[in-house]
Amino acid sequence: MSRFARWSWPLTILLLPVVLMTWASVQSGRVDDVLREAQNIGGDYAWLRVRQVLAGLAYWLALAALVAGPATWLKLRLDAWRALKSREFLYDRLFLCWRALGHWLSAYAGLLMGALALSLLYELSWGWSHLKAGGWLILLVAVPLIAVLWAGCLLIGRLRQQWHALDSPSSAFLGHRMGRDKAPALWAWIEQLATATGAPVPDHIVVGIDQSFFVTSVDVALQPAGDLLRGRTLYLPLTYLSTLSQAEAASIIGHELGHFCSRDTERGSEIGAHFSLMCLHFAFIRAEDADPAWIERPAIWMTQRFLHYFQLAVHHWGRAQELAADRVGGNIGGERLFCQALLRVIALDAEINTLLAERHSNLIQALADHLRHTPLRLNDAALNHTIAHPFDTHPPTALRLQQLGVTLDDALLAEATRVPTEHDRHWFSQLIHTASSAATQPVSPPIPTVQGE
């Protein structure tokens, strides 16, 4: 049964046009038989010709849908294969392929609806002209098919509306924007890190508690203030910053700024973010109707396949960008310090997520109390762990350490899982509350630049 359910969705791409073609062929045969056998059909002759035309048009529209469905599938697979082989193709053509898929699916659904509408007009015409001879039965049968036609028309409308929303996605998350006037020392420190990495300074700095470190170039609707942030945004999690040293935080932020170091890396970050939002928005669309009508299933299935196959390309090239950003993070304080910070963030991830689920009124204090009594742990599973954030394409941790040439030894594990010190807990708070007059002074020791091997 599960195998049938798995294949039933793609089979509808072929079965629906075939059913409509068969129906139109039967209708055409009925008209042809009457025209051949009738000797004197009088005024009904014109209606028979109309029905003949309706049946013929329905057949050709269904045939066009039968060709359009597999053609869309083949184009989808070809584009996804080219995106996997060429980073430039992915960056340049992802949105064009997405728009093309929307047009093809709308055309496919339109062809099906056109064929169904013409076949229904045929049957309604026949039922009306044979009302006294049992034609009313045909009218009753046509009622549920009219409902299917209506569902198909609604599908086309939703495709057009939702594709526009998916074409220009935006992100929304909780946080507080830190302006230059409110936290000049923080901005000075970030500018220092940006200079060390060769990256542009972010346009916005946001602090929050329910995400990990990340950067994005997509539009952000910041909640609860409702501010719309355009340009480059750096997100800093207060939870992690209350447990990392300033040097560790600098390495992690250096990694994030590494996504802005060149146009290629920034485009890769943008593509990954946009694609993640496309998947998220489509999941919301799909969740609105857990059991869609048969007429809707081809479009839904084709969109799922598009996202699946392009996800392989996005993650392939996105992981390459993450490894490049790791090297930038390693240049801040050395590869070993970056790996230490990376492992510490991974060890903290599960603990913070647990506390988030418990909905503490003061999450920062709850985390500090928790870590006093619960030591951080790192095991083999952590080496296969990927840090989660809204636009995740991170490779497994073991691969990241291997690419940087760092060995996971006892000393590294001990530093990564240490109990937070007083400096770890308070340095960031002191930084953001540094007075404007002090912002011009060095806010941290000079950042060593260690070139990666």
Side-chain angles (χ1 to χ4, degrees):
M1 183 63 181
S2 60
R3 179 174 296 182
F4 171 77
R6 185 170 64 251
W7 283 101
S8 63
W9 284 59
L11 283 177
T12 55
I13 296 174
L14 301 176
L15 290 179
L16 290 177
V18 168
V19 169
L20 290 172
M21 288 174 62
T22 303
W23 188 11
S25 297
V26 171
Q27 291 176 331
S28 181
R30 285 160 52 190
V31 173
D32 292 341
D33 290 342
V34 173
L35 287 174
R36 282 195 301 266
E37 296 174 2
Q39 298 296 325
N40 185 15
I41 54 180
D44 198 43
Y45 178 81
W47 280 110
L48 288 174
R49 289 299 185 189
V50 169
R51 290 175 206 155
Q52 190 178 42
V53 171
L54 291 175
L57 288 176
Y59 178 88
W60 286 108
L61 288 178
L63 178 61
L66 182 63
V67 174
T72 303
W73 166 250
L74 291 175
K75 184 180 186 304
L76 182 159
R77 292 301 305 271
L78 177 61
D79 288 342
W81 177 81
R82 294 178 66 185
L84 187 61
K85 297 299 180 181
S86 170
R87 183 178 62 185
E88 287 70 24
F89 182 89
L90 174 65
Y91 292 174
D92 295 337
R93 301 297 298 275
L94 174 63
F95 297 117
L96 294 177
C97 293
W98 179 253
R99 294 189 190 104
L101 178 65
H103 295 323
W104 275 91
L105 291 180
S106 296
Y108 175 82
L111 291 170
L112 288 180
M113 292 305 98
L116 179 59
L118 292 173
S119 295
L120 281 175
L121 285 175
Y122 176 103
E123 297 298 346
L124 291 173
S125 171
W126 188 92
W128 183 259
S129 63
H130 295 77
L131 190 61
K132 295 181 179 180
W136 58 273
L137 290 174
I138 296 296
L139 298 179
L140 290 178
V141 172
V143 171
L145 294 178
I146 293 175
V148 174
L149 179 63
W150 177 248
C153 293
L154 291 178
L155 171 65
I156 296 174
R158 286 206 308 272
L159 282 174
R160 293 175 62 86
Q161 179 182 0
Q162 293 164 350
W163 229 262
H164 177 72
L166 291 171
D167 197 35
S168 301
S170 61
S171 178
F173 50 80
L174 293 170
H176 177 72
R177 180 170 57 176
M178 303 297 295
R180 289 180 179 271
D181 56 334
K182 295 181 179 179
L186 171 62
W187 275 93
W189 183 55
I190 296 299
E191 288 172 351
Q192 188 180 3
L193 292 174
T195 300
T197 60
V201 178
D203 300 300
H204 312 282
I205 297 176
V206 173
V207 296
I209 61 172
D210 61 343
Q211 305 285 350
S212 184
F213 296 88
F214 69 88
V215 291
T216 182
S217 296
V218 302
D219 294 347
V220 172
L222 193 61
Q223 302 300 330
D227 297 334
L228 181 62
L229 309 183
R230 300 183 184 276
R232 303 180 181 94
T233 299
L234 169 65
Y235 181 93
L236 301 177
L238 297 175
T239 44
Y240 293 89
L241 289 170
S242 68
T243 57
L244 296 170
S245 70
Q246 187 169 3
E248 289 171 333
S251 292
I252 296 296
I253 295 171
H255 162 90
E256 299 301 338
L257 294 176
H259 291 294
F260 294 151
C261 278
S262 70
R263 183 54 188 158
D264 281 345
T265 56
E266 188 167 4
R267 288 183 71 196
S269 178
E270 291 173 0
I271 288 293
H274 278 275
F275 187 81
S276 297
L277 292 171
M278 287 161 61
C279 294
L280 182 62
H281 288 180
F282 179 74
F284 289 152
I285 294 170
R286 180 67 180 85
E288 291 177 358
D289 192 356
D291 188 22
W294 282 84
I295 201 70
E296 298 177 335
R297 293 186 179 187
I300 294 175
W301 181 83
M302 195 78 75
T303 306
Q304 288 175 330
R305 293 296 88 193
F306 177 95
L307 295 175
H308 170 74
Y309 287 114
F310 269 89
Q311 184 181 46
L312 300 177
V314 170
H315 276 217
H316 172 74
W317 296 112
R319 289 188 171 195
Q321 298 292 349
E322 291 293 342
L323 294 175
D326 283 351
R327 291 190 290 272
V328 176
N331 287 341
I332 296 295
E335 287 85 354
R336 187 175 178 85
L337 177 62
F338 171 75
C339 292
Q340 172 184 314
L342 175 64
L343 290 170
R344 187 161 179 80
V345 168
I346 291 172
L348 288 164
D349 183 63
E351 307 298 332
I352 292 174
N353 286 336
T354 299
L355 294 175
L356 279 170
E358 295 174 357
R359 298 181 178 275
H360 293 272
S361 58
N362 188 333
L363 184 61
I364 306 299
Q365 186 60 48
L367 178 61
D369 295 339
H370 177 76
L371 294 180
R372 288 194 190 99
H373 305 95
T374 306
L376 293 174
R377 293 183 177 87
L378 280 170
N379 50 34
D380 292 339
L383 298 181
N384 295 319
H385 181 78
T386 58
I387 299 175
H389 64 60
F391 317 115
D392 182 34
T393 56
H394 287 101
T397 307
L399 176 62
R400 301 175 72 177
L401 268 63
Q402 178 184 354
Q403 291 294 315
L404 292 174
V406 175
T407 302
L408 184 61
D409 53 32
D410 292 340
L412 185 62
L413 282 174
E415 283 297 320
T417 58
R418 71 184 185 279
V419 176
T421 65
E422 286 299 309
H423 172 264
D424 295 341
R425 292 177 54 197
H426 299 298
W427 70 267
F428 187 76
S429 177
Q430 294 169 356
L431 180 65
I432 61 177
H433 291 101
T434 300
S436 300
S437 59
T440 57
Q441 303 299 321
V443 295
S444 64
I447 300 173
T449 301
V450 180
Q451 298 299 326
E453 298 178 359

